[in-house]
Amino acid sequence: MESSGLKAVIVGGSGATGRVLIRELLNSPKWSEINIITRRILDEWKGLPEEKQKKIKIIQNDNLDDLEDASKWDFAGKDSFFCCLGTRTKVGKELFIKVDKTYPLWFAKLASHFKVPHLSVLSSVGGDSSSWFLYMKTKGEVEDALKKMDDINHISIFKPGAIMNRENDKRFGESLLKIVPFVSRIESNDVGKCLRMEAELQHA
């Protein structure tokens, strides 16, 4: 199959799911350009085979506060925005909300500004803006805000259960969940693959 020349923009690409998504896009002939907004450059993004290296465009930015200002970016003509940002509540309420709510919504507004037809956002099962729990409440607030956006053709909200086998982020709780029945869970590799496949369906 010939490449359709799809162009992606990713924020949160250095995280467990984001790095899997980038590998998926690199290995798919349908994507010709992968713009990665990141604070740190992973070793695996260096020294790739030529046909993959030419796909990657790394935008190193130490301050994601710049996402708020559309004049600092040029994403006209891009096909899909992917947001894989996320951290833990133990970093503190203020920073958690900034990473898991403020940045994703600024990123969504960028997609709207540049008339990108597809936005994919990684959320979580149980997200509920009325929850008493900070994690679930914040995820729910992001989902509610995204559902009110009507100027992006398609917004995909992924709500996976416990993400298992995070390559760069081993968590004690996940070890316990492996043996707990009736708990929704999914491999991080499968989440990244689903993000890529769903985006390709939107552009079919």
Side-chain angles (χ1 to χ4, degrees):
M1 181 182 295
E2 292 183 0
S3 170
S4 59
L6 294 173
K7 298 177 181 180
V9 180
I10 301 171
V11 67
S14 62
T17 300
R19 62 179 64 194
V20 172
L21 171 62
I22 290 169
R23 289 176 203 148
E24 286 284 327
L25 299 179
L26 283 171
N27 288 328
S28 171
K30 298 190 178 211
W31 300 85
S32 63
E33 183 179 304
I34 306 165
N35 297 272
I36 307 170
I37 303 172
T38 185
R39 284 177 286 191
R40 62 190 180 101
I41 300 174
L42 301 185
D43 288 340
E44 67 180 80
W45 301 338
K46 307 171 186 176
L48 292 166
E50 183 179 358
E51 73 270 9
K52 292 183 179 180
Q53 195 70 62
K54 68 183 181 182
K55 284 187 178 185
I56 282 187
K57 297 182 182 299
I58 296 175
I59 306 168
Q60 192 166 15
N61 191 304
D62 292 329
N63 189 353
L64 292 182
D65 287 353
D66 287 345
L67 291 173
E68 186 180 18
D69 187 355
S71 69
K72 295 184 178 181
W73 309 92
D74 182 11
F75 293 133
K78 303 302 183 274
D79 299 289
S80 284
F81 267 35
F82 296 93
C83 180
C84 299
L85 287 170
T87 189
R88 309 187 201 189
T89 55
K90 72 177 185 180
V91 301
K93 181 178 180 179
E94 183 177 355
L95 180 57
F96 174 77
I97 291 175
K98 194 170 194 178
V99 173
D100 280 62
K101 178 182 177 181
T102 304
Y103 289 157
L105 292 181
W106 284 350
F107 189 62
K109 289 177 182 178
L110 275 182
S112 172
H113 176 83
F114 289 106
K115 303 187 185 305
V116 176
H118 174 243
L119 168 66
S120 184
V121 178
L122 185 64
S123 185
S124 173
V125 67
D128 182 352
S129 57
S130 64
S131 174
W132 288 93
F133 297 99
L134 176 62
Y135 185 88
M136 300 305 183
K137 179 179 178 65
T138 302
K139 294 296 186 183
E141 288 174 346
V142 172
E143 292 172 17
D144 290 351
L146 291 173
K147 290 172 184 176
K148 293 177 182 177
M149 297 183 70
D150 57 6
D151 49 359
I152 298 176
N153 290 348
H154 189 86
I155 298 177
S156 308
I157 301 174
F158 285 79
K159 297 167 64 72
I163 299 179
M164 313 301 292
N165 297 318
R166 297 170 184 262
E167 181 179 322
N168 70 318
D169 188 14
K170 303 297 182 184
R171 302 186 181 185
F172 176 71
E174 291 170 356
S175 299
L176 295 178
L177 287 173
K178 288 181 180 180
I179 59 174
V180 177
F182 313 119
V183 173
S184 174
R185 49 188 177 262
I186 185 171
E187 295 286 323
S188 61
N189 284 343
D190 291 334
V191 179
K193 182 179 293 185
C194 287
L195 289 167
R196 189 263 303 168
M197 292 177 66
E198 193 273 341
E200 290 176 356
L201 286 173
Q202 295 304 322
H203 297 296

